[in-house]
Amino acid sequence: MVKSVANESRELVTLAVIGCGQRGKNYAKYALSEPTSCKIVAIAEPRQQTCQLFAQAHKIDDALVFNDWEDLLKASAETIETLGRRLADGVIVAVHDRMHRDVVLAFAAQGYHILCEKPMATSLRDCFEMEATVKKAGIIFGMGHVLRYSPYTKAITEIVRSGTLGELVNAVHVEPVGFYHFAHSYVRGNWARESRSSFSLMTKSCHDIDILCHWLSPATPTRVSSFGSLHHFTKDHKPARAGSAVRCMECPMERECPYSAKKIYLDPVCRGETGWPVSTLVDGIPDIENITDALHNGPYGKCVYESDNDVCDHQVVNIEFSSGATASFTMVAYTSLICDRQTRLHFTHGEIVGDMSTFTVTDFCTGRKTKHYPKNEGSGHGGGDLGLIRAFVEAVRTNNQACLDTHVTEVLRSHLTVFAAESSRKEGKVVDCVEYERHVRTELGM
Protein backbone atom coordinates (compact mmCIF):
# COMPACT_ATOMS: atom_id res chain seq x y z
CA MET A 1 0.00 0.00 0.00
CA VAL A 2 1.31 3.47 -0.92
CA LYS A 3 2.11 5.56 2.13
CA SER A 4 1.54 9.31 2.36
CA VAL A 5 4.56 11.44 3.13
CA ALA A 6 2.75 12.87 6.14
CA ASN A 7 1.67 9.63 7.75
CA GLU A 8 4.87 9.49 9.76
CA SER A 9 3.71 12.69 11.50
CA ARG A 10 0.07 11.89 12.10
CA GLU A 11 -1.04 15.25 13.44
CA LEU A 12 0.20 17.34 10.51
CA VAL A 13 -1.82 17.03 7.30
CA THR A 14 0.03 18.03 4.14
CA LEU A 15 -1.75 19.37 1.09
CA ALA A 16 -1.03 20.31 -2.50
CA VAL A 17 -3.00 23.21 -3.97
CA ILE A 18 -3.93 23.03 -7.64
CA GLY A 19 -5.03 26.50 -8.69
CA CYS A 20 -3.78 29.38 -6.52
CA GLY A 21 -6.45 31.95 -7.32
CA GLN A 22 -9.06 33.34 -4.95
CA ARG A 23 -10.54 30.01 -3.84
CA GLY A 24 -7.21 28.23 -3.55
CA LYS A 25 -5.79 31.07 -1.45
CA ASN A 26 -8.85 31.18 0.80
CA TYR A 27 -8.60 27.51 1.70
CA ALA A 28 -4.83 27.66 2.06
CA LYS A 29 -5.06 30.42 4.69
CA TYR A 30 -5.87 27.70 7.21
CA ALA A 31 -2.34 26.35 6.86
CA LEU A 32 -0.94 29.75 7.82
CA SER A 33 -3.25 30.23 10.81
CA GLU A 34 -2.97 26.61 12.04
CA PRO A 35 0.57 25.52 11.08
CA THR A 36 0.55 22.57 13.46
CA SER A 37 -2.55 21.11 11.78
CA CYS A 38 -1.96 21.67 8.11
CA LYS A 39 0.86 22.56 5.72
CA ILE A 40 0.84 23.36 2.00
CA VAL A 41 3.80 21.49 0.51
CA ALA A 42 3.21 21.69 -3.26
CA ILE A 43 1.35 23.88 -5.72
CA ALA A 44 0.44 24.05 -9.41
CA GLU A 45 -0.42 27.46 -10.89
CA PRO A 46 0.23 28.76 -14.42
CA ARG A 47 0.27 32.50 -13.59
CA GLN A 48 3.87 33.38 -12.79
CA GLN A 49 3.49 36.11 -10.17
CA THR A 50 0.48 34.48 -8.51
CA CYS A 51 2.46 31.25 -8.27
CA GLN A 52 5.53 33.00 -6.88
CA LEU A 53 3.62 34.97 -4.24
CA PHE A 54 1.76 31.85 -3.09
CA ALA A 55 4.97 29.82 -2.87
CA GLN A 56 6.64 32.57 -0.85
CA ALA A 57 3.70 32.88 1.56
CA HIS A 58 3.75 29.15 2.30
CA LYS A 59 7.54 28.67 2.06
CA ILE A 60 7.21 25.93 -0.52
CA ASP A 61 10.32 24.18 -1.82
CA ASP A 62 11.10 25.26 -5.39
CA ALA A 63 11.13 21.61 -6.47
CA LEU A 64 7.45 21.36 -5.54
CA VAL A 65 6.26 24.46 -7.40
CA PHE A 66 4.71 23.61 -10.77
CA ASN A 67 3.17 25.69 -13.54
CA ASP A 68 0.86 22.90 -14.66
CA TRP A 69 -1.13 20.33 -12.70
CA GLU A 70 0.02 17.57 -15.03
CA ASP A 71 3.63 18.30 -14.08
CA LEU A 72 2.66 17.95 -10.42
CA LEU A 73 0.90 14.68 -11.22
CA LYS A 74 3.99 13.38 -13.05
CA ALA A 75 6.28 14.32 -10.14
CA SER A 76 3.88 12.59 -7.77
CA ALA A 77 3.89 9.42 -9.89
CA GLU A 78 7.70 9.39 -9.85
CA THR A 79 7.76 9.84 -6.07
CA ILE A 80 5.25 7.01 -5.60
CA GLU A 81 7.27 4.74 -7.86
CA THR A 82 10.68 5.48 -6.34
CA LEU A 83 9.84 6.19 -2.69
CA GLY A 84 6.49 4.45 -2.23
CA ARG A 85 4.76 7.58 -0.98
CA ARG A 86 2.76 10.51 -2.28
CA LEU A 87 3.89 14.12 -2.21
CA ALA A 88 1.11 15.04 0.22
CA ASP A 89 -1.90 13.64 2.03
CA GLY A 90 -4.44 15.47 -0.06
CA VAL A 91 -5.03 18.01 -2.80
CA ILE A 92 -7.21 21.09 -3.03
CA VAL A 93 -8.66 21.34 -6.54
CA ALA A 94 -9.35 25.02 -7.22
CA VAL A 95 -8.89 25.19 -10.98
CA HIS A 96 -11.57 26.35 -13.39
CA ASP A 97 -14.83 24.41 -13.32
CA ARG A 98 -14.34 22.53 -16.59
CA MET A 99 -11.02 21.12 -15.35
CA HIS A 100 -12.41 19.56 -12.15
CA ARG A 101 -13.14 16.17 -13.66
CA ASP A 102 -9.70 15.60 -15.17
CA VAL A 103 -7.81 16.74 -12.08
CA VAL A 104 -9.97 14.83 -9.60
CA LEU A 105 -9.82 11.60 -11.60
CA ALA A 106 -6.04 11.81 -11.97
CA PHE A 107 -5.22 12.46 -8.33
CA ALA A 108 -7.89 10.12 -6.96
CA ALA A 109 -6.25 7.35 -9.01
CA GLN A 110 -3.00 8.05 -7.14
CA GLY A 111 -4.79 7.79 -3.79
CA TYR A 112 -4.92 11.44 -2.76
CA HIS A 113 -7.72 12.71 -0.55
CA ILE A 114 -9.48 15.52 -2.42
CA LEU A 115 -11.21 18.79 -1.61
CA CYS A 116 -12.83 20.02 -4.83
CA GLU A 117 -14.16 23.53 -5.28
CA LYS A 118 -17.78 23.83 -6.43
CA PRO A 119 -19.31 22.84 -8.73
CA MET A 120 -18.40 19.17 -8.81
CA ALA A 121 -18.23 19.37 -12.62
CA THR A 122 -20.01 21.05 -15.52
CA SER A 123 -21.61 17.98 -17.10
CA LEU A 124 -23.54 15.08 -15.64
CA ARG A 125 -21.23 12.56 -17.31
CA ASP A 126 -18.27 14.13 -15.53
CA CYS A 127 -20.14 14.10 -12.20
CA PHE A 128 -20.99 10.41 -12.56
CA GLU A 129 -17.39 9.56 -13.48
CA MET A 130 -16.07 11.49 -10.50
CA GLU A 131 -18.43 9.70 -8.12
CA ALA A 132 -17.40 6.29 -9.45
CA THR A 133 -13.68 7.10 -9.30
CA VAL A 134 -13.82 8.53 -5.79
CA LYS A 135 -15.76 5.52 -4.49
CA LYS A 136 -13.37 3.09 -6.17
CA ALA A 137 -10.33 4.89 -4.75
CA GLY A 138 -11.80 4.88 -1.23
CA ILE A 139 -10.54 8.39 -0.55
CA ILE A 140 -11.85 11.26 1.55
CA PHE A 141 -13.80 13.63 -0.69
CA GLY A 142 -14.86 17.14 0.20
CA MET A 143 -16.92 19.50 -1.96
CA GLY A 144 -16.84 23.29 -1.86
CA HIS A 145 -20.41 23.52 -0.59
CA VAL A 146 -19.18 25.99 2.00
CA LEU A 147 -22.66 27.03 3.17
CA ARG A 148 -22.88 23.79 5.15
CA TYR A 149 -19.83 24.71 7.24
CA SER A 150 -20.41 28.25 8.54
CA PRO A 151 -21.21 28.63 12.26
CA TYR A 152 -24.52 30.24 11.21
CA THR A 153 -25.64 27.35 9.03
CA LYS A 154 -24.38 24.69 11.44
CA ALA A 155 -26.40 26.29 14.24
CA ILE A 156 -29.54 26.24 12.09
CA THR A 157 -28.85 22.64 11.04
CA GLU A 158 -28.59 21.61 14.68
CA ILE A 159 -32.06 23.04 15.39
CA VAL A 160 -33.51 21.41 12.27
CA ARG A 161 -32.09 18.04 13.28
CA SER A 162 -33.19 18.37 16.92
CA GLY A 163 -36.87 18.26 16.02
CA THR A 164 -37.72 20.87 18.67
CA LEU A 165 -39.74 22.86 16.13
CA GLY A 166 -41.43 19.82 14.67
CA GLU A 167 -41.18 18.81 11.02
CA LEU A 168 -39.62 21.10 8.45
CA VAL A 169 -42.38 21.60 5.86
CA ASN A 170 -41.21 24.53 3.75
CA ALA A 171 -38.04 26.52 3.05
CA VAL A 172 -37.74 29.88 1.31
CA HIS A 173 -34.17 30.81 0.40
CA VAL A 174 -32.82 33.82 -1.50
CA GLU A 175 -29.34 34.42 -2.83
CA PRO A 176 -28.79 38.13 -3.53
CA VAL A 177 -25.74 37.88 -5.77
CA GLY A 178 -25.13 41.63 -5.87
CA PHE A 179 -25.28 43.98 -8.84
CA TYR A 180 -21.52 44.51 -9.24
CA HIS A 181 -20.63 40.95 -8.20
CA PHE A 182 -22.81 39.59 -10.98
CA ALA A 183 -21.35 42.06 -13.49
CA HIS A 184 -17.84 41.03 -12.42
CA SER A 185 -18.22 37.26 -12.44
CA TYR A 186 -21.15 36.45 -14.73
CA VAL A 187 -21.06 39.22 -17.34
CA ARG A 188 -17.38 40.07 -17.71
CA GLY A 189 -15.72 37.20 -15.90
CA ASN A 190 -14.93 33.49 -16.04
CA TRP A 191 -18.55 32.38 -15.61
CA ALA A 192 -20.13 34.66 -18.21
CA ARG A 193 -20.76 32.02 -20.88
CA GLU A 194 -22.22 28.58 -20.38
CA SER A 195 -19.95 27.11 -23.07
CA ARG A 196 -16.84 28.21 -21.15
CA SER A 197 -18.08 27.12 -17.74
CA SER A 198 -21.70 26.21 -17.00
CA PHE A 199 -25.10 27.80 -16.37
CA SER A 200 -25.25 30.32 -13.53
CA LEU A 201 -27.53 28.24 -11.28
CA MET A 202 -24.76 25.64 -11.21
CA THR A 203 -21.71 27.91 -10.96
CA LYS A 204 -23.21 30.31 -8.41
CA SER A 205 -25.95 28.50 -6.56
CA CYS A 206 -25.30 24.76 -6.47
CA HIS A 207 -24.39 25.07 -2.78
CA ASP A 208 -27.71 26.82 -2.11
CA ILE A 209 -29.63 23.91 -3.60
CA ASP A 210 -27.34 21.62 -1.60
CA ILE A 211 -28.09 23.28 1.74
CA LEU A 212 -31.83 23.04 1.07
CA CYS A 213 -31.45 19.34 0.30
CA HIS A 214 -29.32 18.98 3.45
CA TRP A 215 -31.90 20.59 5.71
CA LEU A 216 -34.77 18.57 4.24
CA SER A 217 -32.94 15.22 4.24
CA PRO A 218 -33.43 12.31 4.53
CA ALA A 219 -36.26 13.27 2.17
CA THR A 220 -35.07 13.61 -1.43
CA PRO A 221 -36.22 15.85 -4.29
CA THR A 222 -39.05 14.33 -6.34
CA ARG A 223 -40.17 17.17 -8.62
CA VAL A 224 -38.58 20.46 -9.64
CA SER A 225 -39.58 23.46 -11.75
CA SER A 226 -37.61 26.56 -12.65
CA PHE A 227 -37.96 29.87 -14.46
CA GLY A 228 -35.40 32.55 -15.30
CA SER A 229 -33.51 34.32 -18.04
CA LEU A 230 -30.79 36.74 -19.00
CA HIS A 231 -32.94 39.84 -18.61
CA HIS A 232 -30.83 42.99 -18.44
CA PHE A 233 -27.20 42.50 -19.48
CA THR A 234 -27.84 42.56 -23.21
CA LYS A 235 -27.15 45.04 -26.00
CA ASP A 236 -30.86 45.91 -26.15
CA HIS A 237 -30.57 47.50 -22.69
CA LYS A 238 -27.54 49.64 -23.45
CA PRO A 239 -28.36 53.30 -22.66
CA ALA A 240 -28.61 55.42 -25.82
CA ARG A 241 -26.32 58.03 -24.30
CA ALA A 242 -23.49 55.48 -24.17
CA GLY A 243 -23.40 55.66 -27.96
CA SER A 244 -20.86 53.44 -29.68
CA ALA A 245 -18.61 53.07 -26.62
CA VAL A 246 -17.57 49.46 -26.06
CA ARG A 247 -15.40 50.09 -23.00
CA CYS A 248 -16.16 51.96 -19.80
CA MET A 249 -12.95 54.02 -20.02
CA GLU A 250 -14.25 55.66 -23.20
CA CYS A 251 -17.96 55.88 -22.30
CA PRO A 252 -19.52 59.38 -22.04
CA MET A 253 -21.90 58.29 -19.27
CA GLU A 254 -19.51 56.07 -17.31
CA ARG A 255 -19.97 57.99 -14.03
CA GLU A 256 -23.74 57.48 -14.17
CA CYS A 257 -23.58 53.71 -14.78
CA PRO A 258 -23.82 51.39 -11.76
CA TYR A 259 -21.79 48.79 -13.66
CA SER A 260 -18.89 51.11 -14.56
CA ALA A 261 -15.63 49.14 -14.59
CA LYS A 262 -13.83 52.27 -13.46
CA LYS A 263 -16.07 52.46 -10.38
CA ILE A 264 -15.78 48.76 -9.60
CA TYR A 265 -12.02 48.32 -10.14
CA LEU A 266 -9.96 51.46 -10.71
CA ASP A 267 -11.49 53.76 -8.11
CA PRO A 268 -10.94 51.24 -5.28
CA VAL A 269 -7.29 50.74 -6.30
CA CYS A 270 -6.80 54.50 -6.25
CA ARG A 271 -8.01 54.36 -2.63
CA GLY A 272 -5.55 51.58 -1.82
CA GLU A 273 -8.15 48.79 -1.87
CA THR A 274 -6.64 45.77 -3.62
CA GLY A 275 -8.82 42.87 -2.46
CA TRP A 276 -11.63 41.14 -4.32
CA PRO A 277 -12.77 41.78 -7.03
CA VAL A 278 -9.76 43.91 -8.06
CA SER A 279 -7.30 41.16 -7.12
CA THR A 280 -8.72 38.81 -9.75
CA LEU A 281 -7.97 41.06 -12.72
CA VAL A 282 -4.19 40.73 -12.90
CA ASP A 283 -1.40 38.29 -12.21
CA GLY A 284 0.19 39.34 -8.93
CA ILE A 285 -0.55 42.46 -6.91
CA PRO A 286 -2.93 44.99 -8.53
CA ASP A 287 -1.87 48.62 -8.86
CA ILE A 288 -3.19 51.65 -10.74
CA GLU A 289 -1.04 50.96 -13.79
CA ASN A 290 -1.87 47.30 -14.35
CA ILE A 291 -5.56 47.72 -13.50
CA THR A 292 -5.80 50.62 -15.97
CA ASP A 293 -4.19 48.44 -18.60
CA ALA A 294 -6.63 45.60 -17.83
CA LEU A 295 -9.60 47.93 -18.25
CA HIS A 296 -8.30 49.20 -21.59
CA ASN A 297 -7.47 45.77 -22.99
CA GLY A 298 -9.18 42.96 -21.06
CA PRO A 299 -12.75 41.69 -20.63
CA TYR A 300 -13.25 43.44 -17.28
CA GLY A 301 -13.14 46.85 -18.97
CA LYS A 302 -15.92 46.07 -21.45
CA CYS A 303 -19.37 47.59 -21.24
CA VAL A 304 -21.75 45.09 -19.60
CA TYR A 305 -24.13 45.64 -22.51
CA GLU A 306 -21.41 44.81 -25.06
CA SER A 307 -20.05 41.67 -23.38
CA ASP A 308 -20.56 38.15 -24.75
CA ASN A 309 -22.34 36.77 -21.66
CA ASP A 310 -25.30 34.40 -21.96
CA VAL A 311 -26.12 33.06 -18.46
CA CYS A 312 -29.25 33.85 -16.43
CA ASP A 313 -29.20 36.96 -14.27
CA HIS A 314 -32.25 35.87 -12.28
CA GLN A 315 -33.79 32.46 -11.65
CA VAL A 316 -36.30 30.79 -9.36
CA VAL A 317 -36.40 27.09 -8.45
CA ASN A 318 -39.26 25.19 -6.78
CA ILE A 319 -38.62 21.76 -5.31
CA GLU A 320 -41.00 19.12 -3.94
CA PHE A 321 -39.47 16.48 -1.65
CA SER A 322 -40.39 12.86 -0.99
CA SER A 323 -41.70 13.86 2.46
CA GLY A 324 -44.18 16.28 0.88
CA ALA A 325 -42.11 19.27 1.98
CA THR A 326 -41.44 22.09 -0.46
CA ALA A 327 -38.67 24.61 -1.04
CA SER A 328 -38.31 27.70 -3.17
CA PHE A 329 -35.02 29.31 -4.13
CA THR A 330 -34.32 32.63 -5.84
CA MET A 331 -31.02 33.73 -7.34
CA VAL A 332 -30.99 37.37 -8.46
CA ALA A 333 -28.28 39.75 -9.66
CA TYR A 334 -29.99 43.03 -8.82
CA THR A 335 -29.27 43.53 -5.14
CA SER A 336 -27.16 45.76 -2.94
CA LEU A 337 -26.42 42.80 -0.67
CA ILE A 338 -23.50 40.69 -1.84
CA CYS A 339 -24.30 37.01 -1.21
CA ASP A 340 -25.88 37.74 2.20
CA ARG A 341 -28.59 35.14 1.85
CA GLN A 342 -32.01 35.37 3.47
CA THR A 343 -33.76 32.22 4.64
CA ARG A 344 -37.12 31.32 6.14
CA LEU A 345 -37.67 27.79 7.42
CA HIS A 346 -41.24 26.84 8.31
CA PHE A 347 -41.85 23.94 10.71
CA THR A 348 -45.05 22.43 12.11
CA HIS A 349 -44.27 23.97 15.52
CA GLY A 350 -42.15 27.01 14.74
CA GLU A 351 -40.06 28.96 12.26
CA ILE A 352 -36.54 30.22 11.67
CA VAL A 353 -35.86 33.51 9.90
CA GLY A 354 -32.23 34.39 9.13
CA ASP A 355 -29.96 36.66 7.12
CA MET A 356 -26.66 34.70 7.17
CA SER A 357 -25.32 36.54 10.21
CA THR A 358 -28.17 36.23 12.71
CA PHE A 359 -31.38 34.22 12.86
CA THR A 360 -34.54 34.30 14.96
CA VAL A 361 -36.30 31.17 16.18
CA THR A 362 -40.00 31.34 17.01
CA ASP A 363 -41.48 28.47 19.02
CA PHE A 364 -45.24 28.27 18.42
CA CYS A 365 -45.79 26.18 21.56
CA THR A 366 -44.25 28.67 23.98
CA GLY A 367 -44.60 31.84 21.92
CA ARG A 368 -40.95 32.55 22.63
CA LYS A 369 -38.71 34.30 20.08
CA THR A 370 -34.97 33.76 20.43
CA LYS A 371 -32.37 35.62 18.40
CA HIS A 372 -29.10 33.81 17.68
CA TYR A 373 -25.77 35.43 16.88
CA PRO A 374 -23.43 32.67 15.62
CA LYS A 375 -19.79 33.72 15.67
CA ASN A 376 -18.18 34.37 12.29
CA GLU A 377 -14.52 33.47 12.55
CA GLY A 378 -13.59 35.88 9.80
CA SER A 379 -13.35 33.76 6.66
CA GLY A 380 -15.50 33.95 3.53
CA HIS A 381 -19.12 32.80 3.31
CA GLY A 382 -19.81 33.62 6.93
CA GLY A 383 -17.00 31.38 8.12
CA GLY A 384 -17.91 28.56 5.74
CA ASP A 385 -14.55 28.58 3.95
CA LEU A 386 -12.70 28.03 7.21
CA GLY A 387 -15.26 25.50 8.41
CA LEU A 388 -14.87 23.42 5.26
CA ILE A 389 -11.08 23.30 5.16
CA ARG A 390 -10.97 22.57 8.89
CA ALA A 391 -13.43 19.69 8.46
CA PHE A 392 -11.51 18.36 5.46
CA VAL A 393 -8.18 18.41 7.30
CA GLU A 394 -9.73 16.60 10.25
CA ALA A 395 -11.33 14.04 7.93
CA VAL A 396 -7.95 13.37 6.32
CA ARG A 397 -6.13 13.29 9.66
CA THR A 398 -8.56 10.71 11.11
CA ASN A 399 -9.40 9.02 7.79
CA ASN A 400 -13.07 9.64 8.57
CA GLN A 401 -15.39 10.90 5.82
CA ALA A 402 -18.07 11.59 8.47
CA CYS A 403 -16.14 14.69 9.61
CA LEU A 404 -17.39 16.38 6.44
CA ASP A 405 -21.02 15.40 7.12
CA THR A 406 -21.46 14.44 3.47
CA HIS A 407 -20.17 11.96 0.91
CA VAL A 408 -19.63 11.88 -2.84
CA THR A 409 -22.98 10.27 -3.66
CA GLU A 410 -24.83 12.95 -1.70
CA VAL A 411 -22.81 15.59 -3.55
CA LEU A 412 -23.82 14.01 -6.85
CA ARG A 413 -27.47 13.92 -5.79
CA SER A 414 -27.68 17.64 -5.08
CA HIS A 415 -25.93 18.39 -8.39
CA LEU A 416 -28.52 16.23 -10.14
CA THR A 417 -31.22 18.48 -8.67
CA VAL A 418 -29.48 21.54 -10.08
CA PHE A 419 -29.21 19.95 -13.54
CA ALA A 420 -32.89 18.94 -13.32
CA ALA A 421 -33.87 22.51 -12.44
CA GLU A 422 -32.01 23.89 -15.44
CA SER A 423 -33.66 21.27 -17.64
CA SER A 424 -37.03 22.49 -16.36
CA ARG A 425 -36.14 26.11 -17.13
CA LYS A 426 -35.05 25.33 -20.68
CA GLU A 427 -37.85 22.89 -21.53
CA GLY A 428 -40.67 24.71 -19.75
CA LYS A 429 -41.96 21.73 -17.79
CA VAL A 430 -41.97 20.20 -14.33
CA VAL A 431 -39.22 17.60 -14.07
CA ASP A 432 -39.63 14.31 -12.22
CA CYS A 433 -36.28 13.97 -10.46
CA VAL A 434 -36.25 10.18 -10.25
CA GLU A 435 -37.22 9.78 -13.90
CA TYR A 436 -34.71 12.48 -14.88
CA GLU A 437 -31.83 10.62 -13.22
CA ARG A 438 -32.95 7.32 -14.76
CA HIS A 439 -33.13 8.91 -18.22
CA VAL A 440 -29.74 10.61 -17.90
CA ARG A 441 -28.03 7.43 -16.69
CA THR A 442 -29.52 5.46 -19.58
CA GLU A 443 -28.61 8.11 -22.13
CA LEU A 444 -25.03 8.31 -20.87
CA GLY A 445 -24.70 4.58 -20.34
CA MET A 446 -23.76 5.13 -16.70
Side-chain angles (χ1 to χ4, degrees):
M1 181 177 179
V2 175
K3 295 191 303 178
S4 167
V5 71
N7 283 345
E8 297 168 5
S9 178
R10 192 178 75 89
E11 296 298 324
L12 183 68
V13 170
T14 57
L15 299 174
V17 177
I18 303 172
C20 300
Q22 180 195 0
R23 301 307 301 154
K25 284 189 289 189
N26 280 358
Y27 293 132
K29 287 177 183 176
Y30 183 64
L32 299 177
S33 63
E34 298 290 340
T36 60
S37 296
C38 173
K39 180 174 175 56
I40 309 300
V41 297
I43 61 172
E45 167 58 51
R47 293 167 296 179
Q48 184 177 359
Q49 292 185 54
T50 299
C51 184
Q52 183 180 8
L53 290 169
F54 194 105
Q56 290 173 350
H58 291 271
K59 298 181 173 59
I60 299 171
D61 190 303
D62 289 344
L64 294 175
V65 176
F66 303 91
N67 297 123
D68 187 274
W69 70 267
E70 290 178 312
D71 292 335
L72 171 57
L73 182 73
K74 181 180 178 182
S76 173
E78 292 171 353
T79 302
I80 291 171
E81 182 177 356
T82 58
L83 300 179
R85 63 187 188 189
R86 293 180 288 275
L87 293 175
D89 292 312
V91 296
I92 296 174
V93 178
V95 293
H96 202 267
D97 303 344
R98 284 195 172 274
M99 298 170 63
H100 288 180
R101 178 257 187 200
D102 290 347
V103 178
V104 168
L105 264 57
F107 283 89
Q110 289 191 354
Y112 285 91
H113 302 299
I114 295 173
L115 173 59
C116 181
E117 178 51 18
K118 73 166 180 69
M120 187 180 192
T122 57
S123 76
L124 272 169
R125 179 180 292 278
D126 288 355
C127 289
F128 284 129
E129 288 183 359
M130 289 168 69
E131 182 211 22
T133 299
V134 166
K135 290 172 72 173
K136 181 179 179 180
I139 60 172
I140 300 296
F141 183 77
M143 172 52 54
H145 286 158
V146 291
L147 295 185
R148 285 187 179 222
Y149 300 95
S150 72
Y152 167 87
T153 303
K154 290 171 72 175
I156 290 178
T157 301
E158 185 176 341
I159 295 172
V160 172
R161 295 284 180 264
S162 72
T164 56
L165 298 179
E167 181 185 359
L168 178 57
V169 176
N170 173 261
V172 179
H173 186 63
V174 178
E175 177 171 17
V177 181
F179 70 100
Y180 72 83
H181 180 359
F182 194 91
H184 167 73
S185 297
Y186 304 95
V187 178
R188 295 172 170 133
N190 292 332
W191 299 275
R193 288 193 65 81
E194 184 172 348
S195 62
R196 293 197 297 260
S197 178
S198 189
F199 50 96
S200 56
L201 185 68
M202 178 62 75
T203 59
K204 186 70 187 80
S205 303
C206 66
H207 54 348
D208 293 278
I209 301 299
D210 174 76
I211 196 63
L212 291 172
C213 291
H214 182 53
W215 281 331
L216 284 155
S217 66
T220 57
T222 55
R223 294 193 297 172
V224 62
S225 66
S226 184
F227 306 90
S229 65
L230 170 58
H231 178 79
H232 182 69
F233 296 106
T234 66
K235 196 161 187 173
D236 291 343
H237 287 90
K238 184 178 181 179
R241 287 186 53 228
S244 61
V246 175
R247 291 187 172 274
C248 296
M249 299 293 276
E250 60 193 34
C251 180
M253 62 164 295
E254 172 268 321
R255 295 316 295 172
E256 302 167 42
C257 179
Y259 305 106
S260 160
K262 187 174 183 294
K263 285 182 184 177
I264 296 172
Y265 307 114
L266 189 56
D267 289 356
V269 170
C270 291
R271 297 191 297 266
E273 300 169 12
T274 58
W276 183 92
V278 174
S279 60
T280 64
L281 267 64
V282 297
D283 180 18
I285 299 173
D287 57 32
I288 293 174
E289 182 179 1
N290 59 26
I291 292 298
T292 300
D293 180 69
L295 298 191
H296 278 298
N297 299 296
Y300 292 99
K302 289 191 70 174
C303 170
V304 293
Y305 306 107
E306 295 281 357
S307 297
D308 66 347
N309 56 296
D310 65 2
V311 298
C312 288
D313 56 23
H314 69 117
Q315 190 165 351
V316 296
V317 179
N318 297 307
I319 308 171
E320 180 184 66
F321 287 79
S322 56
S323 62
T326 54
S328 63
F329 169 69
T330 296
M331 179 275 289
V332 60
Y334 310 106
T335 66
S336 58
L337 294 174
I338 307 296
C339 302
D340 290 332
R341 295 157 172 86
Q342 293 97 49
T343 304
R344 301 183 69 96
L345 300 180
H346 305 113
F347 302 78
T348 54
H349 292 74
E351 68 178 354
I352 299 175
V353 179
D355 62 6
M356 209 169 167
S357 58
T358 67
F359 64 89
T360 300
V361 177
T362 301
D363 188 318
F364 297 161
C365 295
T366 64
R368 181 180 302 165
K369 290 180 179 288
T370 308
K371 195 160 187 177
H372 296 251
Y373 302 86
K375 183 180 178 182
N376 181 346
E377 297 176 274
S379 72
H381 296 94
D385 291 1
L386 174 60
L388 172 56
I389 185 63
R390 178 186 286 152
F392 177 70
V393 167
E394 182 62 13
V396 172
R397 188 187 70 80
T398 59
N399 195 33
N400 183 7
Q401 179 71 40
C403 293
L404 285 156
D405 197 25
T406 190
H407 50 80
V408 68
T409 299
E410 186 177 28
V411 170
L412 172 64
R413 188 179 301 128
S414 71
H415 277 69
L416 272 163
T417 305
V418 181
F419 279 108
E422 184 67 358
S423 177
S424 169
R425 185 189 74 84
K426 287 183 173 179
E427 297 179 19
K429 65 180 184 181
V430 176
V431 173
D432 181 302
C433 296
V434 175
E435 181 57 34
Y436 176 77
E437 179 178 356
R438 183 183 299 116
H439 172 75
V440 169
R441 287 186 180 275
T442 301
E443 190 175 64
L444 296 177
M446 307 300 287

